[in-house]
Amino acid sequence: MSYQFEFADVLEQWPLFLKGIRLTVQLSALAVVFGFVVGLLTAIGRRSDTPWLAWSCGAYVEAIRNTPLLVQIFIVYFGFAALGWKVSVFSAATAALIINLGAYTCEIVRAGMDSINKGQIEAAECLALTKLQIYRYVILVPALEKVFPALASQFVLLVLASSVTSQIGAEDLTAVASRIQSETFRSFETYITVAIIYIVLSYLARVLFWAVGLIVFKRRRRLGLAF
Amino acid sequence: MGGSFNSNHFVFLMMGAVWTLALTMLAFVSGGVLGFVVSLCRVSPLRALRLITAAYILLVQGTPLLVLIFLLYFGVSMAGFQVSPLLAADLALTVYSSAYLGEIWRGCIESVPREQWEAAECLPLTRTQRMRLVVLPQAYKIAAPPTAGFMVQIVKNSSLASVVGFVELTRAGQLVNNSIFQPFLVFLIVAVLYFAMCYPLSYWSRKFETRSGIYARVQPE
């Protein structure tokens, strides 16, 4: 078989690709920032002594982690609209990604907090640190430090997962690709181009999180843990 | 409006769930075979083989599964091959799982204690014997929980096969919704069915997960 590759028609559409990249980056950035906050709060909630709080945080995490992102997006977008709570495509996509990432972040952060040695906490108590101080300096920050690489991988995966939002009509990179391929009839070239863009994006995201890790966790760097 | 949700709709959704399981099994078997080869290449003494598979993993893990499915469905058929939705979805899931399973299993192989490799070397076992008789039997045990955990990912990601029109659970949900327009109810039922398939696997995987942290709690979406 001889297939003539013809990238020119596809690459001519670069302004569209740029627009798609912008939306993908926007969606991912919002989801990572707020998803991290949601995950942090649910991780704290899951470890709390109040049974109903711990239980409901656990139920949220299990429900999200055991259902597909696509179905979650449909529920947020079509489901809530049908119940009379209309939201724009962009907000629905962002909300679904935040809810999704929150659950995964919660599990990672919780694993980090659970791994803090009991002796550390007892030592902090002996030094008469308040409960809040212990939570902050002894549990939370060291836990985040420990699990940062896992968190970073999860965030990179989210950049890729954001492609699923194209299914409710968010004009992200994947949606742009569908449009371009239907106009140019060069689907193979279009999707190869888009795959390369995603590979570059996820690589850039990796570098970004690595840099963030260096800046935020100075101790990590001192301990030589900064990968 | 085409009436309310009835037992016919539910049966249709259950049929979709069966197809989701079938697609998952297909992808798991073929992805597992390919992933096993990938993991062996990753620990191979040949540098070239290690580099090639590392590049393969990098490329696949850097591409969204959705784009992979489109590439195989629209792309390959444009290039002159007829690809059915099932085949495209199965191929995409196979490639996707092989990259992730390859990495997971490489970790398991490498986490077999160094002394075991050395002892096997001292007993003049050949490299193949060492792998087959000493390392792999121990790696299997370490690998079982994270593999079950990854199967959850395959079940969930098989939902993306709906975009090329393969009628699995998510697509079945869309079709039912198109006829009765009760998205909240329909997709909630779909979600519950997915949960029923995934939760036992997650539960089992977590219960038997070793404490050595081989499988960091990162799960691809």
Side-chain angles (χ1 to χ4, degrees), chain A residues 98-148:
Chain A
I98 291 172
I99 294 170
N100 184 271
L101 185 65
Y104 287 90
T105 306
C106 171
E107 271 304 89
I108 296 172
V109 172
R110 195 180 61 112
M113 297 208 287
D114 285 348
S115 74
I116 301 292
N117 201 322
K118 278 258 179 318
Q120 298 262 328
I121 297 165
E122 283 160 11
E125 276 166 2
C126 290
L127 290 171
L129 294 183
T130 63
K131 245 187 131 107
L132 208 66
Q133 280 175 322
I134 294 178
Y135 220 104
R136 181 170 163 203
Y137 295 109
V138 184
I139 301 179
L140 206 53
V141 174
L144 287 177
E145 229 171 55
K146 240 184 218 174
V147 297
F148 187 73

Side-chain angles (χ1 to χ4, degrees), chain B residues 8 16 20 29 32-33 35 40 59 64 69 89 95 102 108 110 115 120 130 162 171 177 180-181 184 209-210 214:
Chain B
N8 286 335
T20 288
V29 170
V33 171
L40 286 183
L59 290 183
I69 292 178
V95 170
C108 298
E110 283 177 348
E115 294 79 9
R130 215 180 335 159
S162 64
R171 184 82 191 132
N177 178 45
I180 60 171
F181 200 68
F184 195 73
E209 196 171 287
T210 45
I214 297 144

Side-chain angles (χ1 to χ4, degrees), chain A:
Chain A
M1 182 210 65
S2 62
Y3 181 75
Q4 208 64 38
F5 279 101
E6 192 63 69
F7 277 98
D9 293 343
V10 173
L11 296 180
E12 226 169 57
Q13 310 279 343
W14 64 268
L16 264 180
F17 277 120
L18 273 186
K19 251 172 101 177
I21 292 173
R22 213 176 72 187
L23 196 83
T24 292
V25 170
Q26 253 173 15
L27 271 174
S28 318
L30 280 172
V32 164
V33 171
F34 290 104
F36 175 68
V37 174
V38 170
L40 203 59
L41 292 178
T42 34
I44 294 171
R46 228 186 149 174
R47 284 168 49 92
S48 92
D49 297 326
T50 324
W52 66 266
L53 185 63
W55 189 87
S56 47
C57 288
Y60 156 72
V61 170
E62 290 304 333
I64 297 300
R65 280 165 52 98
N66 287 299
T67 50
L69 175 62
L70 185 58
V71 175
Q72 290 159 15
I73 290 177
F74 283 158
I75 290 180
V76 171
Y77 185 58
F78 298 119
F80 283 109
L83 292 184
W85 195 40
K86 272 219 154 61
V87 276
S88 72
V89 169
F90 184 77
S91 342
T94 317
L97 288 177
I98 291 172
I99 294 170
N100 184 271
L101 185 65
Y104 287 90
T105 306
C106 171
E107 271 304 89
I108 296 172
V109 172
R110 195 180 61 112
M113 297 208 287
D114 285 348
S115 74
I116 301 292
N117 201 322
K118 278 258 179 318
Q120 298 262 328
I121 297 165
E122 283 160 11
E125 276 166 2
C126 290
L127 290 171
L129 294 183
T130 63
K131 245 187 131 107
L132 208 66
Q133 280 175 322
I134 294 178
Y135 220 104
R136 181 170 163 203
Y137 295 109
V138 184
I139 301 179
L140 206 53
V141 174
L144 287 177
E145 229 171 55
K146 240 184 218 174
V147 297
F148 187 73
L151 272 182
S153 315
Q154 194 65 55
F155 294 163
V156 171
L157 287 171
L158 179 103
V159 177
L160 303 180
S162 74
S163 65
V164 178
T165 60
S166 63
Q167 292 310 303
I168 54 167
E171 278 288 307
D172 78 325
L173 188 51
T174 309
V176 162
S178 305
R179 209 169 117 191
I180 292 175
Q181 68 103 9
S182 64
E183 279 168 14
T184 60
F185 294 105
R186 286 284 169 195
S187 6
F188 208 26
E189 288 89 339
T190 309
Y191 285 116
I192 286 176
T193 312
V194 167
I196 293 171
I197 295 177
Y198 270 113
I199 289 166
V200 172
L201 273 182
S202 59
Y203 181 74
L204 290 179
R206 231 168 252 290
V207 173
L208 175 76
F209 290 123
W210 173 76
V212 168
L214 276 191
I215 295 163
V216 175
F217 300 114
K218 297 204 174 70
R219 210 171 64 104
R220 244 184 107 75
R221 198 169 47 195
R222 262 209 322 278
L223 292 175
L225 284 171
F227 32 114

Side-chain angles (χ1 to χ4, degrees), chain B residues 27-164:
Chain B
F28 178 70
V29 170
S30 47
V33 171
L34 195 57
F36 184 60
V37 175
V38 168
S39 67
L40 286 183
C41 288
R42 289 287 285 141
V43 295
S44 140
L46 291 174
R47 201 179 136 79
L49 219 50
R50 285 204 307 269
L51 282 179
I52 292 170
T53 41
Y56 171 76
I57 289 169
L58 193 80
L59 290 183
V60 175
Q61 294 195 345
T63 316
L65 179 60
L66 192 57
V67 172
L68 217 55
I69 292 178
F70 282 142
L71 191 64
L72 286 166
Y73 186 62
F74 295 116
V76 173
S77 61
M78 272 288 173
F81 291 101
Q82 271 306 314
V83 184
S84 72
L86 173 62
L87 186 63
D90 181 41
L91 277 178
L93 278 168
T94 298
V95 170
Y96 168 85
S97 338
S98 71
Y100 282 96
L101 285 175
E103 271 301 86
I104 293 171
W105 290 343
R106 175 184 68 106
C108 298
I109 291 174
E110 283 177 348
S111 68
V112 172
R114 197 82 228 149
E115 294 79 9
Q116 297 283 330
W117 296 72
E118 286 162 2
E121 245 171 282
C122 293
L123 288 172
L125 295 177
T126 63
R127 200 186 146 73
T128 323
Q129 284 175 323
R130 215 180 335 159
M131 253 320 183
R132 194 169 56 88
L133 299 172
V134 180
V135 178
L136 287 183
Q138 301 183 62
Y140 288 144
K141 280 192 192 131
I142 307 171
T147 305
F150 188 74
M151 272 186 88
V152 175
Q153 302 301 321
I154 306 181
V155 174
K156 291 193 293 178
N157 283 323
S158 70
S159 67
L160 294 181
S162 64
V163 301
V164 289

